[in-house]
Amino acid sequence: MAPVRRFLNEPSELVREWTRSQIHLQPGLNIDEKFLVLYRDNAAHSGRVTVVSGGGSGHEPAHAGYLGEGMLDAAVIGALFASPNVRQIQRALELVSSPQGTVVVVKNYTGDKLNFALATERFKATTGKDVRMVLVNDDVAVGRSRGKFVGRRGLAGTVLVQKVVGAAAHHGLDIDNIVNLCNVISQGLGTIGASLEPCHVPGQLVVDGAKFSGIALGMGIHNEPAVKNLVATTTTRDLIAEMLDLLLDPAKPEHAFLSPEVGKRNGRLILMLNNLGGLSTIELGALTSIVLSQLEEKYSIVPCRVYAGTFLSALDGRGFSITVLSLDHSETASTILDLLDKPTTANGWASSIPSSQWKALSSASPSQNFLASQTLSNDRLFAQIIQSIFKEVTAREPMITRYDTILGDGDCGTTLLAGAKALADALQTGKLSLSSLSQGMATVAEIVTDAMGGTSGAIYGIFLSALAAGLAQAYDQDVGMNGRYFALALNQALDVLEKFTGARVGDRTLMDALIPFITVFDKASQEEDLVKSLELAVHQSAIGCENTRYLDSKYGRSTYVGNQSAGETNESDPIQIPDPGACGIVAVLTGLLRAVQYP
């Protein structure tokens, strides 16, 4: 079989050019091309512990992508899927040597472990410097029996260790405290991966696809065989359930490496979804959502930090891994969270928004959270308005559809009816909140947008969403819900809508009915009561709709229809047809008016 087509097929060239690119992608990096070491200027490391990491290439952005203020000081670049040699590692230690010591973060693979250990011991023996090597072994796929002698492999959890160690060093923690943090992390760190296909190493023949017809659970990041092969028909949700069981189920003695307490709701858990290289961004995001749902539903866990992206890849591996880091409520746990949140200039790190910030947003006061600003005193009227609009739109839909069949694609009436029906159904099933006017209007906007779709759905959605915001911002508890309150909100919603469409009165669109309604209501509400203001405004809206019979179309599909005679009742009496969208607005407003007139 032929190799996979690539722009660069020579592995050594690929690694060399990748390494060179980094000094252009991140200012402040240096390169030792002889030993393939990327490092930050030693002057920046005076007075603190330094951090070194590295390994075989093919796992980008690891490890060069994590060089920067707040993470690594040097990265040692090995060949594809091969550990760097002892001399390379020694050179990295020389370049970032510090009197305060150096922490070396290493994935637990035999080649990495042996080469880094030997280099570390040689460097310590010749310089007397304090250098500590930290092994990361977060893989839970390999059971205790199989991994008895070599231990668990180091996977994507390595990146979390690098972030914590790097932030700790850059903020002045001494080497003993940093190593202690690593020990705490290792006790609560677990990763499990799954892949649909092996990765393809440049210059090598494609691996026989017949061997990977299913889903490889626990496949290594260098194409090591899977621990378990699942049938191809296994659903993604079943796959994730099995992956989470391997991570969190204490009843699996071979794989239960984390504390049984990890499933407690009051525990702190950090979640990382890692792309092994071959997944799209949208697919990884969807997988993240499914993992989060299962964590909460089955284990009652809501992570306090969530990371998703390509952190430690396997070239173009068509898979992903799930990493969890379980922390308790100790002072050390708070320190680790704080260090994860610290900023870094490393271009491979994707930060997470702390859950405390989400909590602050969700617990905002009524003045901050506009959807909770006012209580609807007459929720029965709100329900009657929805029902009345549905009734009016249902009655006028055939006419609107007939008009639109002549002028457009014939879906204006049915689309509007779909929105009205969705609202009526939501009202009947209790999905439409009636406790707050602005909250209810926001829900109306969401339901209408989902049900209608297309251009009209977007226009209604924008206007109704802006109206919900306007209702909240215009609310004054001392004044209440009078005509002026609604006029202010309507004007604000119209201002927002006009930013997204250039259509105005005279352009033969629904704006010919909507704008006159708002204009007249605004003026009338200064002198008349609410019902009278609505009557005057709806009447003017109907006039605006009728006037569209004699206008040339400038927007939408009807633009392409001849303007001299859009339709005829008979051969001798041509009559222009009113704009279907404007007719729809009048139907909605008429339904609103009748509900208010006869509550």
Side-chain angles (χ1 to χ4, degrees):
M1 299 177 67
V4 172
R5 294 181 64 206
R6 298 180 184 277
F7 292 105
L8 294 173
N9 289 296
E10 173 54 46
S12 60
E13 179 188 18
L14 184 65
V15 172
R16 182 177 64 253
E17 297 303 335
W18 151 262
T19 306
R20 286 174 174 172
S21 74
Q22 299 309 296
I23 62 174
H24 302 288
L25 296 173
Q26 186 178 156
L29 293 189
N30 301 296
I31 182 173
D32 185 321
E33 288 209 46
K34 179 180 179 181
F35 294 101
L36 278 188
V37 175
L38 287 163
Y39 63 99
R40 301 179 66 241
D41 188 3
N42 195 44
H45 314 316
S46 58
R48 64 167 179 80
V49 173
T50 55
V51 184
V52 174
S53 191
S57 296
H59 304 301
E60 290 69 28
H63 298 281
Y66 303 122
L67 282 163
E69 187 76 26
M71 284 195 78
L72 304 181
D73 297 300
V76 196
I77 312 300
L80 278 179
F81 291 172
S83 169
N85 63 43
V86 173
R87 189 65 191 94
Q88 286 181 274
I89 300 166
Q90 281 186 278
R91 181 57 178 155
L93 293 173
E94 293 167 3
L95 289 168
V96 297
S97 176
S98 169
Q100 281 67 41
T102 300
V103 174
V104 183
V105 181
V106 181
K107 301 189 301 297
N108 186 33
Y109 286 92
T110 302
D112 288 333
K113 181 168 61 175
L114 293 179
N115 281 294
F116 274 94
L118 180 54
T120 296
E121 292 305 316
R122 283 184 179 178
F123 186 77
K124 288 165 61 177
T126 57
T127 66
K129 298 290 181 64
D130 190 357
V131 182
R132 314 278 184 92
M133 190 172 85
V134 175
L135 276 178
V136 182
N137 50 358
D138 53 321
D139 183 21
V140 301
V142 179
R144 285 183 167 84
S145 299
R146 286 184 59 184
K148 181 177 180 181
F149 298 106
V150 296
R152 296 189 285 156
R153 300 175 293 199
L155 300 176
T158 305
V159 181
L160 293 177
V161 176
Q162 291 170 336
K163 178 63 178 70
V164 171
V165 170
H170 280 77
H171 286 83
L173 272 70
D174 62 42
I175 196 166
D176 289 328
N177 280 322
I178 292 174
V179 172
N180 180 59
L181 287 174
C182 291
N183 292 333
V184 172
I185 292 173
S186 66
Q187 294 171 12
L189 189 62
T191 297
I192 180 69
S195 189
L196 297 173
E197 295 177 11
C199 59
H200 304 107
V201 181
Q204 295 185 9
L205 296 179
V206 177
V207 180
D208 186 1
K211 297 180 180 179
F212 297 88
S213 58
I215 303 174
L217 180 62
M219 182 176 175
I221 57 174
H222 310 101
N223 277 349
E224 296 96 334
V227 173
K228 181 179 181 181
N229 288 300
L230 305 178
V231 297
T233 55
T234 303
T235 68
T236 300
R237 284 173 170 76
D238 287 344
L239 167 66
I240 289 173
E242 186 153 356
M243 294 171 76
L244 291 178
D245 280 348
L246 288 172
L247 282 167
L248 303 173
D249 189 354
K252 297 182 181 296
E254 280 289 308
H255 304 276
F257 293 101
L258 305 185
S259 166
E261 300 301 308
V262 69
K264 301 294 185 181
R265 179 176 287 275
N266 61 353
R268 299 181 185 181
L269 185 128
I270 294 157
L271 173 68
M272 172 185 280
L273 264 289
N274 173 55
N275 182 1
L276 291 175
L279 300 187
S280 65
T281 301
I282 190 172
E283 190 171 10
L284 185 70
L287 291 168
T288 302
S289 176
I290 296 171
V291 170
L292 286 167
S293 295
Q294 292 198 15
L295 278 174
E296 183 167 13
E297 291 168 5
K298 184 172 181 179
Y299 298 97
S300 298
I301 293 174
V302 177
C304 60
R305 303 288 187 278
V306 180
Y307 303 91
T310 305
F311 294 97
L312 193 146
S313 66
L315 288 172
D316 58 354
R318 288 271 295 132
F320 68 101
S321 61
I322 303 172
T323 298
V324 296
L325 172 56
S326 176
L327 303 171
D328 58 23
H329 289 286
S330 68
E331 182 179 344
T332 303
S334 299
T335 300
I336 291 171
L337 288 173
D338 182 57
L339 293 171
L340 283 171
D341 293 340
K342 295 291 186 185
T344 176
T345 61
N347 57 25
W349 175 254
S351 62
S352 168
I353 298 177
S355 60
S356 57
Q357 293 187 23
W358 290 114
K359 185 180 295 184
L361 289 173
S362 63
S363 60
S365 65
S367 62
Q368 296 169 314
N369 185 354
F370 74 86
L371 292 180
S373 59
Q374 74 288 118
T375 301
L376 185 60
S377 59
N378 193 345
D379 55 3
R380 185 176 65 86
L381 177 58
F382 197 165
Q384 283 184 279
I385 290 172
I386 298 296
Q387 293 165 344
S388 180
I389 290 174
F390 176 49
K391 181 179 179 181
E392 194 67 31
V393 170
T394 300
R396 298 195 187 200
E397 180 272 323
M399 176 191 68
I400 297 173
T401 297
R402 180 167 62 87
Y403 290 163
D404 195 46
T405 300
I406 298 171
L407 294 173
D409 56 5
D411 68 343
C412 184
T414 56
T415 299
L416 182 61
L417 181 59
K421 184 178 186 303
L423 287 176
D425 291 345
L427 182 67
Q428 187 173 8
T429 58
K431 295 180 180 179
L432 183 56
S433 172
L434 303 178
S435 60
S436 161
L437 180 57
S438 56
Q439 174 69 70
M441 189 57 64
T443 306
V444 165
E446 182 178 349
I447 293 171
V448 166
T449 304
D450 290 344
M452 291 180 65
T455 303
S456 58
I459 290 175
Y460 274 87
I462 291 170
F463 182 79
L464 293 172
S465 296
L467 181 60
L471 288 170
Q473 294 174 13
Y475 183 67
D476 185 338
Q477 186 173 357
D478 294 331
V479 177
M481 298 182 189
N482 59 14
R484 291 306 301 153
Y485 161 63
F486 288 106
L488 291 171
L490 286 167
N491 276 301
Q492 178 173 319
L494 180 60
D495 287 342
V496 171
L497 181 59
E498 287 181 338
K499 293 177 182 178
F500 294 94
T501 175
R504 299 293 186 269
V505 171
D507 290 334
R508 191 180 170 83
T509 69
L510 60 80
M511 300 293 271
D512 284 285
L514 180 62
I515 292 176
F517 168 78
I518 295 174
T519 301
V520 171
F521 184 84
D522 182 35
K523 182 178 180 181
S525 66
Q526 300 178 40
E527 301 175 359
E528 307 288 349
D529 62 22
L530 179 60
V531 175
K532 184 62 176 178
S533 297
L534 279 175
E535 290 174 346
L536 294 171
V538 172
H539 175 69
Q540 193 61 46
S541 176
I543 293 175
C545 175
E546 183 68 16
N547 288 340
T548 62
R549 291 179 182 272
Y550 315 108
L551 298 173
D552 292 343
S553 180
K554 298 179 182 179
Y555 293 86
R557 290 187 176 92
S558 61
T559 303
Y560 308 106
V561 178
N563 291 316
Q564 297 304 313
S565 179
E568 298 181 359
T569 56
N570 57 62
E571 293 182 359
S572 61
D573 185 21
I575 298 176
Q576 287 283 71
I577 291 174
D579 179 72
C583 292
I585 288 289
V586 173
V588 171
L589 295 176
T590 301
L592 165 66
L593 175 60
R594 288 180 176 172
V596 174
Q597 285 176 322
Y598 310 106

